[in-house]
Amino acid sequence: MSAEINVTGEVVTAYLSGELDHHTAKQMRETIDSAVELNMPSLLVLDFSRVSFMDSSGIGLVMGRYRNLQKTGAALHISGTSPNIYKVMKLAGIERLAKLERGNEND
Amino acid sequence: MKMIKNSFNMSLMSRSSNESFARATVAAFATQLDPTIEEISDIKTAVSEAVTNCIVHAYDNTLGKIYISAEILDNNTIKIKIRDKGKGIENVEKAMEPLFTTVGGERAGLGFAVMMSFMDSVKVRSALGKGTSIIMTKKISRRYSVNG
């Protein structure tokens, strides 16, 4: 499990990979939070294309980042969600907090 | 009474590193029902939620044992039981409400909502100071395809 950070202008993109559960979420959110703190982006993109599994710990991670971004008014985008991850996101109503995009199922 | 065609049981310590082990093991057992990728994914997610509850809530991040068993029933259904001997749930009905969480912070409070949404049935029994057991079932669709 890892999070690779890319900064382009005012956009911070975190490319998450591996399995996202309660065990792995902590390290991932620390990586994301320090990148956000350092770069103060106007948009944070969480890319799930390389995440092979996610349970509700992923929802906790998204909701926690959303709360942090509220302080600076930055937007949050979720991209690259597989059918399973999309299903968990929809169950939590994440599309009300962030722009939610499906991944390419042919990837 | 449904006939049990196959079963397994195991116990593991409530370490968070065992979350992936637990869901992968149950998923591997379930493959004999020839589930779709979506069905396997649903089972993995539900097991992950139940095991995480044992670690975060039942044992409050201290070490205890989690007991997992599963049965394949003759109607192409998997029955999964996840049990702990932790602190128990004071109000099961409330705990099962979406977004209810006692720990706050980075927990979404959606564990039971995910289990109920991804499985066909979820039964919770809990006694304060004694522990909690969760029994979940899911019927796996029988796939008949002319293309094999």
Side-chain angles (χ1 to χ4, degrees):
Chain A
M1 188 81 239
S2 69
E4 213 173 281
I5 304 291
N6 182 295
V7 184
T8 310
E10 291 190 0
V11 181
V12 167
T13 305
Y15 295 94
L16 314 179
S17 64
E19 301 203 325
L20 174 44
D21 62 12
H22 157 252
H23 180 66
T24 58
K26 185 169 181 272
Q27 192 200 338
M28 195 168 296
R29 71 172 176 258
E30 284 170 359
T31 307
I32 299 166
D33 288 352
S34 58
V36 167
E37 222 169 281
L38 188 71
N39 298 286
M40 298 291 278
S42 60
L43 172 65
L44 171 66
V45 180
L46 299 178
D47 185 286
F48 283 79
S49 316
R50 286 179 253 161
V51 178
S52 53
F53 172 84
M54 185 190 91
D55 64 16
S56 73
S57 306
I59 299 302
L61 179 121
V62 171
M63 283 168 42
R65 306 299 64 73
Y66 173 77
R67 275 196 297 268
N68 288 351
L69 293 175
Q70 291 283 85
K71 294 171 202 158
T72 57
L76 179 63
H77 285 189
I78 312 287
S79 67
T81 57
S82 67
N84 173 59
I85 293 173
Y86 187 79
K87 194 170 165 184
V88 181
M89 295 278 187
K90 286 292 276 186
L91 177 72
I94 286 297
E95 72 277 9
R96 284 174 297 192
L97 312 180
K99 189 174 161 196
L100 176 60
E101 284 172 351
R102 289 172 189 262
N104 184 349
E105 287 179 28
N106 299 320
D107 277 355
Chain B
M1 189 69 191
K2 304 256 182 344
M3 203 185 79
I4 298 166
K5 290 170 80 175
N6 197 2
S7 69
F8 89 93
N9 71 78
M10 67 174 184
S11 68
L12 61 173
M13 283 172 86
S14 58
R15 291 195 185 279
S16 62
S17 55
N18 280 333
E19 289 159 7
S20 59
F21 173 73
R23 63 179 178 258
T25 305
V26 177
F29 182 73
T31 55
Q32 60 195 289
L33 287 168
D34 192 23
T36 60
I37 292 170
E38 185 181 4
E39 286 164 339
I40 273 290
S41 187
D42 289 351
I43 291 169
K44 275 174 97 170
T45 312
V47 169
S48 196
E49 300 295 349
V51 171
T52 303
N53 276 353
C54 297
I55 294 166
V56 176
H57 299 288
Y59 293 120
D60 265 333
N61 297 307
T62 62
L63 283 181
K65 271 193 170 178
I66 301 170
Y67 304 86
I68 301 178
S69 61
E71 292 169 353
I72 303 288
L73 305 177
D74 59 2
N75 58 346
N76 226 46
T77 296
I78 183 165
K79 181 178 174 183
I80 304 160
K81 186 174 180 183
I82 297 172
R83 187 167 61 88
D84 64 69
K85 292 182 178 174
K87 70 178 179 191
I89 302 169
E90 198 173 335
N91 185 337
V92 172
E93 220 171 293
K94 194 154 183 75
M96 291 177 82
E97 283 173 15
L99 304 177
F100 176 83
T101 179
T102 51
V103 292
E106 293 286 333
R107 303 299 311 161
L110 287 170
F112 279 120
V114 167
M115 287 182 244
M116 288 187 286
S117 164
F118 289 12
M119 300 295 282
D120 295 339
S121 74
V122 179
K123 274 186 212 152
V124 182
R125 282 209 322 224
S126 191
L128 274 183
K130 289 190 175 158
T132 300
S133 80
I134 292 173
I135 296 173
M136 308 186 276
T137 64
K138 189 174 183 72
K139 190 173 170 116
I140 302 303
S141 57
R142 284 190 183 279
R143 288 183 291 157
Y144 296 103
S145 164
V146 283
N147 300 319

